[in-house]
Amino acid sequence: MRGMVRRFPSTVILVLLAAVGCSRLDAPGGTVPAGLHVVEGLGTLAFPNSGNAAAQEPFLRGVLLLHSFEYDAAAEAFREAQQADPNFALAYWGEAMTYNHPLWQ
C-alpha cells in the first residue's frame, strides 16, 4: 500500500501533462502539425512507418481502433492496409494484435 501512495502523485501529474499536451495538438488556424494524422472520431496519431501512401489511412485507423478496444473494426482496417500494401509488415502485426484481448482474460 505504501508504494501505491508514492506513485499516485506522479501518476496524476503524468495524466494532467498528457491532457494539457493533447489539448495543444492543433496549430493556429486549425491545422494539424506535420507528422500527426487525425482520424475523425478516433483521435490523433503520429506513427512513422514504411507502408505506402495508400496503406497509411487504414493502418492509422486500425491502430486507433485497436487502442479503443474495437478489435473487429481494427482487424478490418489492418486487412485494408494489407491489401493496399502487401509488403507492409506492420499491417499484419496490427491484425495479429486484434486477436489478443488481455483485459478480457
Side-chain angles (χ1 to χ4, degrees):
M1 187 68 145
R2 184 174 170 92
M4 203 166 141
V5 173
R6 285 187 184 176
R7 283 184 275 187
F8 180 73
S10 60
T11 303
V12 170
I13 290 170
L14 287 174
V15 169
L16 290 174
L17 288 174
V20 169
C22 289
S23 67
R24 297 178 160 233
L25 288 177
D26 289 337
T31 60
V32 176
L36 291 178
H37 302 277
V38 175
V39 179
E40 189 65 37
L42 293 174
T44 306
L45 177 67
F47 195 132
N49 61 70
S50 63
N52 69 26
Q56 292 302 307
E57 193 282 329
F59 174 74
L60 295 171
R61 182 170 21 95
V63 171
L64 289 167
L65 286 164
L66 179 65
H67 286 91
S68 296
F69 308 106
E70 296 290 339
Y71 298 114
D72 293 338
E76 185 178 317
F78 288 124
R79 286 191 292 271
E80 192 178 326
Q82 293 164 21
Q83 288 178 345
D85 186 352
N87 295 317
F88 185 21
L90 276 177
Y92 297 95
W93 163 84
E95 183 183 0
M97 293 298 291
T98 67
Y99 298 110
N100 182 22
H101 309 152
L103 294 179
W104 310 147
Q105 306 274 337

Coordinates of all heavy atoms in Angstrom, one line a residue:
M1 N 0.8 -1.2 0.0 CA 0.0 0.0 0.0 C 0.9 1.3 0.0 O 0.6 2.2 -0.6 CB -0.9 0.0 1.2 CG -1.9 1.1 1.2 SD -3.1 0.8 -0.1 CE -4.5 1.5 0.6
R2 N 2.0 1.2 0.7 CA 2.8 2.4 0.8 C 3.4 2.8 -0.5 O 3.4 3.9 -0.9 CB 4.0 2.1 1.8 CG 4.8 3.3 2.1 CD 5.8 2.9 3.2 NE 6.9 3.9 3.3 CZ 6.8 5.0 4.0 NH1 5.7 5.1 4.8 NH2 7.8 5.9 4.1
G3 N 3.8 1.8 -1.4 CA 4.3 2.1 -2.7 C 3.3 2.7 -3.6 O 3.6 3.5 -4.4
M4 N 2.1 2.3 -3.4 CA 0.9 2.8 -4.2 C 0.7 4.3 -3.9 O 0.5 5.1 -4.8 CB -0.3 2.0 -3.9 CG -1.3 2.0 -4.9 SD -2.5 0.7 -4.6 CE -4.0 1.5 -5.0
V5 N 0.9 4.6 -2.6 CA 0.7 6.0 -2.2 C 1.8 6.9 -2.8 O 1.5 8.0 -3.3 CB 0.7 6.1 -0.7 CG1 0.7 7.6 -0.2 CG2 -0.5 5.4 -0.1
R6 N 3.0 6.4 -2.9 CA 4.1 7.2 -3.5 C 3.9 7.4 -5.0 O 4.2 8.4 -5.6 CB 5.4 6.5 -3.3 CG 5.9 6.6 -1.9 CD 7.2 6.1 -1.8 NE 7.7 6.1 -0.4 CZ 8.8 5.6 0.0 NH1 9.6 5.0 -0.8 NH2 9.2 5.7 1.3
R7 N 3.3 6.4 -5.7 CA 3.2 6.5 -7.2 C 2.0 7.4 -7.5 O 1.9 7.9 -8.6 CB 3.0 5.1 -7.8 CG 4.4 4.4 -7.9 CD 4.2 3.2 -8.6 NE 3.8 2.2 -7.6 CZ 3.7 0.9 -7.8 NH1 3.8 0.4 -8.9 NH2 3.3 0.1 -6.8
F8 N 1.0 7.5 -6.7 CA -0.2 8.2 -7.0 C 0.0 9.6 -7.5 O -0.4 10.0 -8.5 CB -1.2 8.2 -5.8 CG -2.5 8.9 -6.1 CD1 -3.4 8.4 -7.0 CD2 -2.7 10.1 -5.6 CE1 -4.6 9.0 -7.2 CE2 -3.9 10.8 -5.8 CZ -4.8 10.3 -6.7
P9 N 0.8 10.5 -6.7 CA 1.0 11.8 -7.2 C 1.7 11.9 -8.6 O 1.3 12.7 -9.4 CB 1.9 12.4 -6.1 CG 1.6 11.6 -4.9 CD 1.4 10.2 -5.4
S10 N 2.7 11.0 -8.8 CA 3.4 11.1 -10.1 C 2.5 10.6 -11.2 O 2.5 11.2 -12.3 CB 4.7 10.3 -10.1 OG 4.3 8.9 -9.8
T11 N 1.6 9.7 -11.0 CA 0.6 9.3 -12.0 C -0.4 10.4 -12.3 O -0.6 10.6 -13.5 CB -0.2 8.0 -11.5 OG1 0.8 7.0 -11.1 CG2 -1.1 7.5 -12.5
V12 N -0.8 11.1 -11.3 CA -1.7 12.2 -11.5 C -1.1 13.3 -12.3 O -1.6 13.8 -13.3 CB -2.3 12.8 -10.2 CG1 -3.0 14.1 -10.4 CG2 -3.1 11.7 -9.5
I13 N 0.2 13.6 -12.0 CA 0.9 14.6 -12.8 C 1.1 14.2 -14.2 O 0.9 15.0 -15.1 CB 2.3 14.8 -12.1 CG1 2.1 15.5 -10.8 CG2 3.2 15.7 -13.0 CD1 3.3 15.6 -9.9
L14 N 1.4 12.9 -14.5 CA 1.6 12.5 -15.9 C 0.3 12.5 -16.6 O 0.2 13.0 -17.8 CB 2.1 11.0 -15.9 CG 3.5 10.8 -15.5 CD1 3.9 9.4 -15.4 CD2 4.4 11.6 -16.5
V15 N -0.8 12.2 -16.0 CA -2.1 12.3 -16.7 C -2.5 13.7 -17.0 O -3.0 14.0 -18.1 CB -3.2 11.6 -15.8 CG1 -4.6 11.9 -16.3 CG2 -3.0 10.1 -15.7
L16 N -2.2 14.6 -16.1 CA -2.5 16.0 -16.3 C -1.6 16.6 -17.4 O -2.1 17.4 -18.3 CB -2.3 16.8 -15.0 CG -3.4 16.6 -13.9 CD1 -3.0 17.3 -12.6 CD2 -4.7 17.0 -14.4
L17 N -0.4 16.2 -17.4 CA 0.5 16.7 -18.5 C 0.1 16.2 -19.9 O 0.1 16.9 -20.9 CB 2.0 16.3 -18.2 CG 2.7 17.0 -17.1 CD1 4.0 16.4 -16.8 CD2 2.8 18.5 -17.4
A18 N -0.4 14.9 -19.9 CA -0.9 14.3 -21.1 C -2.1 15.1 -21.6 O -2.3 15.4 -22.8 CB -1.2 12.9 -21.0
A19 N -3.0 15.4 -20.7 CA -4.2 16.1 -21.1 C -3.9 17.5 -21.6 O -4.5 18.0 -22.6 CB -5.1 16.3 -19.8
V20 N -2.9 18.2 -21.0 CA -2.5 19.5 -21.5 C -1.9 19.4 -22.8 O -2.2 20.2 -23.7 CB -1.6 20.2 -20.5 CG1 -1.0 21.5 -21.1 CG2 -2.3 20.5 -19.2
G21 N -1.0 18.4 -23.0 CA -0.4 18.2 -24.3 C -1.4 17.9 -25.4 O -1.3 18.4 -26.5
C22 N -2.4 17.0 -25.1 CA -3.4 16.7 -26.1 C -4.2 17.8 -26.5 O -4.7 17.9 -27.6 CB -4.2 15.5 -25.6 SG -3.4 14.0 -25.5
S23 N -4.4 18.8 -25.6 CA -5.3 19.9 -25.9 C -4.5 20.9 -26.8 O -5.1 21.8 -27.4 CB -5.7 20.6 -24.6 OG -4.6 21.2 -24.0
R24 N -3.2 20.7 -27.0 CA -2.5 21.6 -27.8 C -2.0 21.0 -29.2 O -1.0 21.5 -29.7 CB -1.3 22.1 -27.0 CG -1.7 22.9 -25.8 CD -0.5 23.3 -25.0 NE -0.9 24.4 -24.1 CZ -0.3 25.5 -24.1 NH1 0.8 25.7 -24.8 NH2 -0.7 26.4 -23.3
L25 N -2.7 20.0 -29.6 CA -2.2 19.3 -30.9 C -2.5 20.2 -32.1 O -1.7 20.1 -33.1 CB -3.0 18.0 -31.0 CG -2.5 16.9 -30.1 CD1 -3.3 15.6 -30.3 CD2 -1.0 16.6 -30.3
D26 N -3.5 21.0 -32.1 CA -3.8 21.8 -33.3 C -3.0 23.1 -33.3 O -2.9 23.7 -32.3 CB -5.3 22.2 -33.3 CG -6.2 21.0 -33.6 OD1 -5.7 20.1 -34.2 OD2 -7.4 21.1 -33.3
A27 N -2.4 23.3 -34.4 CA -1.6 24.6 -34.6 C -2.6 25.7 -34.8 O -3.8 25.5 -35.1 CB -0.7 24.4 -35.8
P28 N -2.1 27.0 -34.8 CA -3.0 28.1 -35.0 C -3.7 27.9 -36.4 O -3.1 27.5 -37.4 CB -2.1 29.3 -35.0 CG -0.9 28.8 -34.1 CD -0.8 27.4 -34.4
G29 N -4.9 28.3 -36.5 CA -5.7 28.2 -37.7 C -6.3 26.8 -37.9 O -6.9 26.6 -39.0
G30 N -6.2 26.0 -36.9 CA -6.9 24.7 -37.0 C -6.2 23.6 -37.8 O -6.7 22.6 -38.2
T31 N -4.9 23.9 -38.2 CA -4.2 22.9 -38.9 C -3.5 21.9 -38.0 O -3.2 22.2 -36.8 CB -3.1 23.6 -39.8 OG1 -2.2 24.3 -39.0 CG2 -3.7 24.5 -40.8
V32 N -3.2 20.7 -38.5 CA -2.5 19.7 -37.7 C -1.0 19.7 -38.0 O -0.7 19.8 -39.2 CB -3.1 18.3 -38.0 CG1 -2.4 17.2 -37.3 CG2 -4.6 18.3 -37.7
P33 N -0.2 19.8 -37.0 CA 1.3 19.8 -37.3 C 1.7 18.6 -38.1 O 1.1 17.5 -38.1 CB 1.9 19.7 -35.9 CG 0.8 20.2 -35.0 CD -0.5 19.8 -35.6
A34 N 2.8 18.8 -38.9 CA 3.4 17.8 -39.7 C 3.7 16.5 -38.9 O 4.2 16.6 -37.8 CB 4.6 18.3 -40.4
G35 N 3.4 15.4 -39.5 CA 3.7 14.1 -38.8 C 2.5 13.5 -38.0 O 2.6 12.4 -37.6
L36 N 1.5 14.3 -37.7 CA 0.3 13.9 -37.0 C -0.8 13.6 -38.0 O -0.9 14.3 -38.9 CB -0.1 14.9 -36.0 CG 0.8 15.1 -34.8 CD1 0.2 16.2 -33.9 CD2 1.0 13.9 -34.0
H37 N -1.5 12.5 -37.7 CA -2.6 12.2 -38.5 C -3.9 12.2 -37.7 O -3.9 11.6 -36.6 CB -2.4 10.8 -39.2 CG -1.2 10.7 -40.0 ND1 -1.1 11.1 -41.3 CD2 0.1 10.3 -39.7 CE1 0.1 11.0 -41.8 NE2 0.8 10.5 -40.8
V38 N -5.0 12.8 -38.2 CA -6.2 12.8 -37.5 C -7.2 11.8 -38.2 O -7.3 11.9 -39.4 CB -6.8 14.2 -37.5 CG1 -8.2 14.2 -36.9 CG2 -5.9 15.2 -36.8
V39 N -7.8 11.0 -37.4 CA -8.8 10.1 -37.9 C -10.1 10.5 -37.2 O -10.2 10.4 -35.9 CB -8.5 8.6 -37.6 CG1 -9.6 7.7 -38.1 CG2 -7.1 8.2 -38.2
E40 N -11.0 10.9 -37.9 CA -12.3 11.5 -37.4 C -12.9 10.6 -36.4 O -13.2 9.4 -36.7 CB -13.3 11.8 -38.6 CG -14.5 12.6 -38.2 CD -14.2 14.0 -37.7 OE1 -13.2 14.6 -38.3 OE2 -14.8 14.4 -36.8
G41 N -13.2 11.1 -35.2 CA -13.9 10.4 -34.2 C -13.0 9.5 -33.4 O -13.5 8.9 -32.4
L42 N -11.7 9.3 -33.8 CA -10.9 8.4 -33.0 C -9.7 9.1 -32.4 O -9.2 8.6 -31.4 CB -10.3 7.3 -34.0 CG -11.4 6.3 -34.5 CD1 -10.8 5.4 -35.5 CD2 -12.0 5.5 -33.3
G43 N -9.2 10.2 -32.9 CA -8.1 10.9 -32.3 C -7.0 11.3 -33.3 O -7.2 11.2 -34.5
T44 N -5.9 11.6 -32.7 CA -4.7 12.0 -33.5 C -3.6 11.0 -33.2 O -3.4 10.6 -32.0 CB -4.3 13.4 -33.1 OG1 -5.5 14.3 -33.3 CG2 -3.2 14.0 -33.9
L45 N -2.8 10.7 -34.2 CA -1.7 9.7 -34.0 C -0.5 10.1 -34.9 O -0.7 10.5 -36.0 CB -2.3 8.4 -34.5 CG -1.3 7.2 -34.5 CD1 -0.9 6.8 -33.0 CD2 -2.0 6.0 -35.1
A46 N 0.7 9.9 -34.3 CA 1.9 10.0 -35.0 C 2.6 8.6 -35.0 O 2.9 8.2 -33.9 CB 2.8 11.1 -34.4
F47 N 2.7 8.0 -36.1 CA 3.2 6.6 -36.1 C 4.0 6.4 -37.4 O 3.5 5.8 -38.4 CB 2.1 5.6 -36.0 CG 2.5 4.2 -35.7 CD1 1.8 3.5 -34.7 CD2 3.5 3.5 -36.3 CE1 2.2 2.2 -34.4 CE2 3.9 2.3 -36.0 CZ 3.2 1.6 -35.0
P48 N 5.2 6.9 -37.5 CA 6.0 6.8 -38.7 C 6.2 5.3 -39.0 O 6.4 4.5 -38.1 CB 7.3 7.4 -38.4 CG 7.1 8.3 -37.2 CD 5.9 7.6 -36.5
N49 N 6.0 4.9 -40.3 CA 6.2 3.5 -40.7 C 6.6 3.5 -42.2 O 6.6 4.5 -42.8 CB 4.9 2.8 -40.4 CG 3.7 3.3 -41.2 OD1 3.6 3.2 -42.4 ND2 2.8 4.0 -40.4
S50 N 6.8 2.3 -42.7 CA 7.3 2.1 -44.0 C 6.2 1.7 -45.0 O 6.4 1.4 -46.2 CB 8.3 1.0 -44.0 OG 7.7 -0.3 -43.6
G51 N 4.9 1.7 -44.6 CA 3.8 1.4 -45.5 C 3.7 2.5 -46.6 O 4.0 3.6 -46.4
N52 N 3.1 2.1 -47.8 CA 3.0 3.0 -48.8 C 1.8 4.0 -48.5 O 1.1 3.8 -47.5 CB 2.7 2.3 -50.2 CG 1.4 1.6 -50.3 OD1 0.4 1.9 -49.6 ND2 1.4 0.6 -51.2
A53 N 1.7 5.0 -49.3 CA 0.7 6.1 -49.0 C -0.7 5.6 -48.9 O -1.5 6.0 -48.1 CB 0.8 7.2 -50.1
A54 N -1.1 4.6 -49.8 CA -2.4 4.1 -49.8 C -2.7 3.3 -48.5 O -3.9 3.2 -48.1 CB -2.7 3.2 -51.0
A55 N -1.7 2.8 -47.8 CA -1.9 2.0 -46.6 C -2.0 2.8 -45.4 O -2.4 2.3 -44.3 CB -0.8 0.9 -46.5
Q56 N -1.6 4.1 -45.4 CA -1.5 4.9 -44.2 C -2.8 5.1 -43.5 O -2.9 4.8 -42.3 CB -0.8 6.2 -44.5 CG 0.6 6.1 -45.0 CD 1.5 5.4 -43.9 OE1 1.5 5.9 -42.7 NE2 2.2 4.4 -44.3
E57 N -3.8 5.6 -44.2 CA -5.1 5.9 -43.5 C -5.7 4.6 -42.9 O -6.0 4.7 -41.7 CB -6.1 6.5 -44.5 CG -7.3 7.2 -43.8 CD -8.3 6.1 -43.4 OE1 -8.5 5.1 -44.1 OE2 -9.0 6.4 -42.3
P58 N -5.8 3.5 -43.6 CA -6.4 2.3 -42.9 C -5.5 1.8 -41.7 O -6.0 1.4 -40.7 CB -6.6 1.3 -44.0 CG -5.8 1.8 -45.1 CD -5.6 3.2 -45.0
F59 N -4.2 1.9 -41.9 CA -3.3 1.4 -40.8 C -3.5 2.3 -39.6 O -3.7 1.8 -38.5 CB -1.9 1.4 -41.3 CG -0.9 1.1 -40.2 CD1 -0.8 -0.2 -39.7 CD2 -0.2 2.1 -39.6 CE1 0.1 -0.5 -38.6 CE2 0.7 1.8 -38.5 CZ 0.8 0.5 -38.1
L60 N -3.4 3.6 -39.8 CA -3.6 4.5 -38.6 C -4.9 4.4 -38.0 O -5.1 4.4 -36.7 CB -3.3 5.9 -39.0 CG -1.9 6.2 -39.5 CD1 -1.7 7.6 -40.1 CD2 -0.9 6.0 -38.4
R61 N -6.0 4.2 -38.8 CA -7.3 4.0 -38.2 C -7.3 2.7 -37.4 O -7.9 2.6 -36.3 CB -8.3 3.9 -39.4 CG -9.8 3.7 -38.9 CD -10.8 3.9 -40.0 NE -10.3 3.8 -41.4 CZ -10.4 2.7 -42.1 NH1 -10.9 1.6 -41.6 NH2 -10.0 2.6 -43.4
G62 N -6.7 1.7 -37.9 CA -6.6 0.4 -37.2 C -5.9 0.5 -35.9 O -6.4 0.0 -34.9
V63 N -4.8 1.3 -35.8 CA -4.1 1.5 -34.6 C -5.0 2.2 -33.5 O -5.1 1.8 -32.4 CB -2.8 2.3 -34.8 CG1 -2.2 2.6 -33.4 CG2 -1.8 1.4 -35.6
L64 N -5.7 3.2 -34.0 CA -6.6 4.0 -33.1 C -7.7 3.1 -32.6 O -8.1 3.1 -31.5 CB -7.0 5.3 -33.7 CG -6.0 6.3 -33.9 CD1 -6.4 7.4 -34.8 CD2 -5.6 6.9 -32.5
L65 N -8.3 2.3 -33.5 CA -9.4 1.4 -33.2 C -8.9 0.3 -32.2 O -9.6 0.0 -31.2 CB -10.0 0.7 -34.4 CG -10.9 1.6 -35.2 CD1 -11.1 1.0 -36.6 CD2 -12.2 1.9 -34.6
L66 N -7.7 -0.2 -32.4 CA -7.1 -1.2 -31.5 C -6.9 -0.6 -30.1 O -7.3 -1.3 -29.1 CB -5.7 -1.6 -32.1 CG -4.9 -2.6 -31.3 CD1 -5.7 -4.0 -31.2 CD2 -3.5 -2.8 -31.8
H67 N -6.5 0.6 -30.0 CA -6.3 1.2 -28.7 C -7.7 1.7 -28.1 O -7.7 2.1 -27.0 CB -5.3 2.4 -28.8 CG -3.9 1.9 -28.9 ND1 -3.3 1.7 -30.1 CD2 -3.0 1.5 -28.0 CE1 -2.1 1.2 -29.9 NE2 -1.9 1.1 -28.6
S68 N -8.7 1.6 -28.9 CA -10.1 1.9 -28.4 C -10.8 0.6 -28.1 O -12.0 0.6 -27.9 CB -10.9 2.7 -29.4 OG -10.2 4.0 -29.5
F69 N -10.1 -0.6 -28.2 CA -10.7 -1.9 -27.9 C -11.7 -2.3 -28.9 O -12.6 -3.1 -28.6 CB -11.2 -2.0 -26.5 CG -10.2 -1.6 -25.4 CD1 -10.3 -0.4 -24.8 CD2 -9.1 -2.4 -25.2 CE1 -9.4 0.0 -23.8 CE2 -8.1 -2.0 -24.2 CZ -8.3 -0.8 -23.6
E70 N -11.7 -1.7 -30.1 CA -12.6 -2.1 -31.2 C -11.9 -3.1 -32.1 O -11.5 -2.8 -33.2 CB -13.0 -0.8 -31.9 CG -13.8 0.2 -31.1 CD -15.2 -0.3 -30.8 OE1 -15.7 -1.2 -31.5 OE2 -15.7 0.2 -29.8
Y71 N -11.8 -4.3 -31.6 CA -10.9 -5.3 -32.2 C -11.4 -5.7 -33.6 O -10.6 -5.8 -34.5 CB -10.8 -6.5 -31.3 CG -10.1 -6.2 -30.0 CD1 -10.8 -6.3 -28.8 CD2 -8.8 -5.8 -29.9 CE1 -10.2 -6.0 -27.6 CE2 -8.2 -5.5 -28.8 CZ -8.9 -5.6 -27.6 OH -8.3 -5.3 -26.4
D72 N -12.7 -5.9 -33.8 CA -13.2 -6.4 -35.1 C -13.0 -5.3 -36.2 O -12.5 -5.6 -37.3 CB -14.7 -6.8 -35.0 CG -14.9 -8.0 -34.2 OD1 -13.9 -8.8 -34.0 OD2 -16.0 -8.2 -33.7
A73 N -13.3 -4.1 -35.8 CA -13.1 -3.0 -36.8 C -11.7 -2.7 -37.0 O -11.3 -2.4 -38.2 CB -13.8 -1.7 -36.2
A74 N -10.8 -2.9 -36.0 CA -9.4 -2.7 -36.2 C -8.8 -3.7 -37.1 O -8.0 -3.4 -38.0 CB -8.7 -2.7 -34.8
A75 N -9.2 -5.0 -36.9 CA -8.7 -6.1 -37.8 C -9.1 -5.8 -39.3 O -8.3 -6.0 -40.2 CB -9.3 -7.4 -37.4
E76 N -10.3 -5.3 -39.5 CA -10.8 -5.0 -40.8 C -9.9 -3.8 -41.4 O -9.5 -3.9 -42.6 CB -12.2 -4.5 -40.8 CG -12.8 -4.3 -42.1 CD -14.3 -3.9 -42.0 OE1 -15.0 -4.5 -41.2 OE2 -14.7 -3.0 -42.7
A77 N -9.6 -2.8 -40.6 CA -8.8 -1.7 -41.1 C -7.3 -2.2 -41.4 O -6.8 -1.8 -42.5 CB -8.7 -0.6 -40.0
F78 N -6.8 -3.1 -40.6 CA -5.5 -3.6 -40.9 C -5.5 -4.5 -42.1 O -4.5 -4.4 -42.9 CB -4.9 -4.4 -39.7 CG -4.5 -3.6 -38.5 CD1 -5.1 -3.8 -37.3 CD2 -3.6 -2.5 -38.6 CE1 -4.7 -3.0 -36.2 CE2 -3.3 -1.7 -37.6 CZ -3.8 -2.0 -36.3
R79 N -6.5 -5.3 -42.4 CA -6.6 -6.0 -43.6 C -6.7 -5.1 -44.8 O -6.1 -5.4 -45.9 CB -7.8 -7.0 -43.5 CG -7.5 -8.2 -42.6 CD -8.5 -9.3 -42.8 NE -9.8 -8.9 -42.2 CZ -10.3 -9.0 -41.0 NH1 -9.5 -9.6 -40.1 NH2 -11.5 -8.7 -40.6
E80 N -7.4 -4.0 -44.7 CA -7.5 -3.0 -45.7 C -6.1 -2.4 -46.0 O -5.7 -2.3 -47.2 CB -8.4 -1.9 -45.3 CG -8.8 -0.9 -46.4 CD -9.8 0.1 -45.8 OE1 -10.6 -0.2 -44.9 OE2 -9.7 1.3 -46.3
A81 N -5.3 -2.2 -45.0 CA -3.9 -1.7 -45.2 C -3.0 -2.8 -45.9 O -2.2 -2.5 -46.7 CB -3.3 -1.3 -43.9
Q82 N -3.3 -4.1 -45.5 CA -2.5 -5.2 -46.2 C -2.8 -5.2 -47.7 O -1.9 -5.5 -48.5 CB -2.9 -6.5 -45.5 CG -2.5 -6.6 -44.1 CD -3.2 -7.7 -43.3 OE1 -3.7 -8.7 -44.0 NE2 -3.2 -7.7 -42.0
Q83 N -4.1 -5.0 -48.0 CA -4.5 -5.0 -49.5 C -3.8 -3.9 -50.2 O -3.4 -4.0 -51.3 CB -6.0 -5.0 -49.6 CG -6.7 -6.3 -49.2 CD -8.2 -6.2 -49.4 OE1 -8.7 -5.1 -49.5 NE2 -8.8 -7.3 -49.3
A84 N -3.7 -2.7 -49.6 CA -3.1 -1.6 -50.2 C -1.6 -1.8 -50.3 O -1.0 -1.2 -51.3 CB -3.4 -0.3 -49.4
D85 N -1.0 -2.5 -49.4 CA 0.5 -2.7 -49.4 C 0.8 -4.1 -48.9 O 1.0 -4.2 -47.7 CB 1.2 -1.6 -48.6 CG 2.7 -1.7 -48.7 OD1 3.2 -2.7 -49.3 OD2 3.4 -0.8 -48.2
P86 N 0.8 -5.1 -49.7 CA 1.0 -6.5 -49.2 C 2.3 -6.7 -48.5 O 2.5 -7.7 -47.8 CB 0.9 -7.3 -50.5 CG 0.2 -6.5 -51.5 CD 0.5 -5.1 -51.2
N87 N 3.3 -5.8 -48.7 CA 4.6 -6.0 -48.1 C 4.7 -5.2 -46.8 O 5.8 -5.1 -46.2 CB 5.7 -5.5 -49.0 CG 5.8 -6.5 -50.2 OD1 5.7 -7.7 -50.1 ND2 6.0 -5.9 -51.4
F88 N 3.6 -4.6 -46.3 CA 3.6 -3.8 -45.1 C 3.5 -4.6 -43.9 O 2.4 -5.0 -43.5 CB 2.5 -2.8 -45.3 CG 2.4 -1.7 -44.2 CD1 3.5 -1.4 -43.4 CD2 1.2 -1.0 -44.0 CE1 3.4 -0.4 -42.4 CE2 1.1 -0.1 -43.0 CZ 2.2 0.2 -42.2
A89 N 4.6 -5.0 -43.3 CA 4.6 -6.0 -42.2 C 3.8 -5.5 -41.0 O 3.2 -6.3 -40.3 CB 6.1 -6.3 -41.7
L90 N 3.8 -4.2 -40.7 CA 3.1 -3.7 -39.5 C 1.6 -3.9 -39.7 O 0.9 -4.0 -38.6 CB 3.4 -2.2 -39.3 CG 4.7 -1.9 -38.5 CD1 4.9 -0.4 -38.4 CD2 4.6 -2.5 -37.1
A91 N 1.1 -3.9 -40.9 CA -0.3 -4.1 -41.1 C -0.7 -5.6 -40.6 O -1.8 -5.8 -40.0 CB -0.7 -3.9 -42.5
Y92 N 0.2 -6.5 -40.8 CA 0.0 -7.9 -40.4 C 0.1 -8.0 -38.8 O -0.6 -8.7 -38.2 CB 0.9 -8.9 -41.1 CG 0.7 -8.9 -42.5 CD1 1.4 -8.1 -43.4 CD2 -0.3 -9.7 -43.1 CE1 1.2 -8.1 -44.8 CE2 -0.5 -9.8 -44.4 CZ 0.2 -9.0 -45.3 OH 0.0 -9.0 -46.6
W93 N 1.1 -7.2 -38.3 CA 1.3 -7.2 -36.8 C 0.0 -6.6 -36.2 O -0.5 -7.1 -35.2 CB 2.5 -6.3 -36.5 CG 2.5 -5.8 -35.1 CD1 3.0 -6.5 -34.0 CD2 2.0 -4.6 -34.6 NE1 2.8 -5.7 -32.9 CE2 2.2 -4.6 -33.2 CE3 1.4 -3.5 -35.2 CZ2 1.8 -3.5 -32.4 CZ3 1.0 -2.4 -34.4 CH2 1.2 -2.4 -33.0
G94 N -0.5 -5.5 -36.8 CA -1.7 -4.9 -36.2 C -2.9 -5.9 -36.2 O -3.6 -6.0 -35.2
E95 N -3.1 -6.6 -37.3 CA -4.2 -7.6 -37.3 C -3.9 -8.7 -36.2 O -4.9 -9.1 -35.5 CB -4.3 -8.3 -38.7 CG -5.5 -9.2 -38.7 CD -5.6 -10.0 -40.0 OE1 -4.9 -9.8 -40.9 OE2 -6.6 -10.8 -40.0
A96 N -2.7 -9.1 -36.1 CA -2.4 -10.1 -35.0 C -2.7 -9.6 -33.6 O -3.2 -10.3 -32.8 CB -0.9 -10.5 -35.1
M97 N -2.5 -8.3 -33.4 CA -2.7 -7.7 -32.1 C -4.2 -7.7 -31.8 O -4.6 -7.7 -30.6 CB -2.2 -6.3 -32.0 CG -0.7 -6.2 -32.1 SD 0.1 -7.1 -30.7 CE -0.4 -6.0 -29.3
T98 N -5.1 -7.7 -32.8 CA -6.5 -7.7 -32.6 C -7.1 -9.0 -32.0 O -8.2 -9.1 -31.5 CB -7.3 -7.3 -33.9 OG1 -7.2 -8.4 -34.8 CG2 -6.9 -6.0 -34.4
Y99 N -6.3 -10.1 -32.1 CA -6.7 -11.4 -31.6 C -6.3 -11.6 -30.1 O -6.6 -12.6 -29.5 CB -6.2 -12.5 -32.5 CG -6.7 -12.4 -33.9 CD1 -5.8 -12.0 -34.9 CD2 -8.0 -12.6 -34.2 CE1 -6.3 -11.9 -36.2 CE2 -8.5 -12.5 -35.5 CZ -7.7 -12.2 -36.5 OH -8.1 -12.0 -37.8
N100 N -5.5 -10.7 -29.6 CA -5.1 -10.7 -28.2 C -5.9 -9.7 -27.4 O -5.8 -8.5 -27.6 CB -3.6 -10.4 -28.1 CG -3.0 -10.5 -26.7 OD1 -3.6 -11.2 -25.9 ND2 -1.9 -9.9 -26.5
H101 N -6.7 -10.2 -26.4 CA -7.5 -9.4 -25.6 C -7.1 -9.6 -24.1 O -7.9 -10.1 -23.3 CB -9.0 -9.7 -25.8 CG -9.4 -9.8 -27.2 ND1 -10.4 -10.5 -27.7 CD2 -9.0 -9.1 -28.3 CE1 -10.6 -10.4 -29.0 NE2 -9.7 -9.5 -29.4
P102 N -6.0 -9.0 -23.7 CA -5.5 -9.2 -22.3 C -6.4 -8.7 -21.3 O -6.4 -9.2 -20.2 CB -4.1 -8.6 -22.3 CG -4.2 -7.5 -23.4 CD -5.1 -8.1 -24.5
L103 N -7.1 -7.7 -21.5 CA -8.0 -7.1 -20.5 C -9.3 -8.0 -20.2 O -9.9 -7.8 -19.2 CB -8.4 -5.7 -20.9 CG -7.3 -4.7 -20.9 CD1 -7.9 -3.3 -21.3 CD2 -6.6 -4.6 -19.6
W104 N -9.6 -8.8 -21.2 CA -10.8 -9.6 -21.1 C -10.6 -10.9 -20.4 O -11.5 -11.7 -20.2 CB -11.5 -9.8 -22.4 CG -11.7 -8.6 -23.3 CD1 -11.6 -8.5 -24.6 CD2 -12.0 -7.2 -22.9 NE1 -11.8 -7.2 -25.1 CE2 -12.0 -6.4 -24.0 CE3 -12.2 -6.6 -21.6 CZ2 -12.3 -5.1 -24.0 CZ3 -12.4 -5.2 -21.6 CH2 -12.5 -4.5 -22.7
Q105 N -9.3 -11.3 -20.2 CA -9.0 -12.6 -19.7 C -9.0 -12.6 -18.2 O -8.5 -12.0 -17.5 CB -7.6 -13.0 -20.2 CG -7.5 -13.0 -21.7 CD -8.0 -14.2 -22.4 OE1 -8.0 -15.3 -21.9 NE2 -8.3 -14.1 -23.7

